[in-house]
Amino acid sequence: MKRKEFRELVPVEEARRIINSLQVRPEKESSALENAYGKILAEEIVTEINVPSFPRATMDGYAVRAEDTYACSETEPVKLKLLGNIPAGSDARFTVSTGEAVEIATGAPVPEGADAVVMVEYSSEENGTVLISRPVTEGENIMKAGSDILKGERVLRRGRKLGTREIGVLASIGKKKKFQYSGCLSG
């Protein structure tokens, strides 16, 4: 294989003059998210929403008012009226009042009025009633809204190259076309 040789070199000062004379100005472009892979962000990305946008259950079980469970034990479970079921991905709406519970799946939105989730292992159902055998504290087994990404948080910096992770973050905060990237720096 023949070696390629460079025979015409310029002095460093001449090279700097040539580089400095170039007028490269990155253009800002907007694009659909699906076309953004490999682009360089031209702006800071600050989220305008919480991710998730709702408090969610971290365990399968029953959404309850914690105070309804304080007096229960394995030998004397508390009985709560079962209102229904909220599977993950559901938009079912319930309001939990004193003496009530809603069956809930991991990741499902916690219903209004509930402030804790009793793990399914500490409960049983019979005739439209749920029996709770272990007390819970307020906030137990619940992940707050914004626990992944908090509204107002900077999620990506200007100058960041967009890969699959960054595109996933943009999608999760609802950015589809509302961001700019530097067109000449894509790769």
Side-chain angles (χ1 to χ4, degrees), residues 60-64 82 101-104 116-118 120 123-125 130 132:
D60 288 344
Y62 294 88
V64 298
L82 186 58
V102 173
E103 185 178 7
I104 193 165
V117 173
V118 175
V120 71
S123 62
S124 61
E125 277 186 45
V130 61
I132 307 295

Side-chain angles (χ1 to χ4, degrees), residues 51-56 58 139 142-148:
V51 177
S53 59
F54 54 86
R56 65 180 181 223
T58 61
I142 293 178
M143 189 166 284
K144 294 180 179 180
S147 57
D148 291 341

Side-chain angles (χ1 to χ4, degrees), residues 30 84 101 120 151 162 169:
S30 293
V120 71
K151 181 179 180 177
L162 297 177
V169 168

